[in-house]
Amino acid sequence: MSVEPSLVEIADASWPHIVGLHAVDDGTMAAVWLTHDTGTDVVHLYDAVRFDREILLVIADALTKRGDWKPISWHKDAESISERLYERGVNLLPDAVPSDGAVAEVVSREIEERMRTGRFKVGKHLDAWVEEFASFTRQDRKVPLDGFPLMAATRHAMTALEQAEHAPQTGAGEDRDMDHGRNATTGY
């Protein structure tokens, strides 16, 4: 796995972006933010967050503060939560990505191939993602679908990579940076 020093500064605003969102029955949610350098076919994971039993208003705020124009991929099992997030202004893709074992296997292999060839890079400030990745192991030669919400969110974003969008054009003199827009109260 390639870990980059300050990926947020490296990510070009002209690259398309996609967010992956994963919800677990116990109330845990995870989100990852990817950008795709289409010129070199390198995917950059530049932000990740895990919400443990957080209220949806805070989650919606965290998702939109990082760019309300960024499309968010989600899985079918999270349909009721996704509907409530959509009502709060979150830019969810209209259709859920498949989340079955066969799709998880294909996408996980693509991510692994990209990592081995230097075409999937992770910001080194993303300790929680790196730690979860280090403990992510196949069970009975299959990709685990439970217990790794950041990995699942990454799979959802990669599944929808072709639906990534470019930032809206800004006016002359405006600077569209990669501000995380973290909420001072919640830290998300």
Side-chain angles (χ1 to χ4, degrees), residues 88-104:
R88 288 168 174 78
V90 174
N91 186 21
L92 297 167
L93 290 171
D95 297 315
V97 297
S99 57
D100 61 60
V103 171

Side-chain angles (χ1 to χ4, degrees), residues 32-161:
V32 299
W33 284 259
L34 306 179
T35 188
H36 185 203
D37 177 352
T38 54
T40 61
D41 192 28
V42 174
V43 174
H44 300 271
L45 193 153
Y46 63 90
D47 203 1
V49 65
R50 182 179 166 142
F51 306 97
D52 292 314
R53 294 184 173 89
E54 189 57 80
I55 61 173
L56 282 180
L57 185 61
V58 171
I59 294 168
D61 183 57
L63 294 170
T64 57
K65 290 283 186 189
R66 289 168 169 83
D68 61 358
W69 57 271
K70 296 173 185 172
I72 300 174
S73 62
W74 52 283
H75 61 104
K76 186 73 174 163
D77 296 341
E79 193 162 15
S80 65
I81 291 170
S82 298
E83 288 172 5
R84 294 185 309 198
L85 287 170
Y86 180 78
E87 291 168 0
R88 288 168 174 78
V90 174
N91 186 21
L92 297 167
L93 290 171
D95 297 315
V97 297
S99 57
D100 61 60
V103 171
E105 187 66 40
V106 169
V107 176
S108 293
R109 287 187 188 276
E110 179 187 354
I111 294 169
E112 182 180 13
E113 176 187 316
R114 284 180 169 278
M115 287 179 165
R116 288 183 175 189
T117 59
R119 295 180 302 119
F120 189 93
K121 300 182 184 240
V122 178
K124 91 173 188 185
H125 64 286
L126 301 175
D127 295 335
W129 193 95
V130 172
E131 287 173 21
E132 189 172 298
F133 177 76
S135 66
F136 185 73
T137 57
R138 293 179 181 276
Q139 298 165 351
D140 297 324
R141 304 182 84 178
K142 295 180 182 178
V143 173
L145 300 178
D146 297 320
F148 300 94
L150 290 169
M151 299 302 104
T154 304
R155 280 195 314 271
H156 302 331
M158 287 296 295
T159 301
L161 189 61

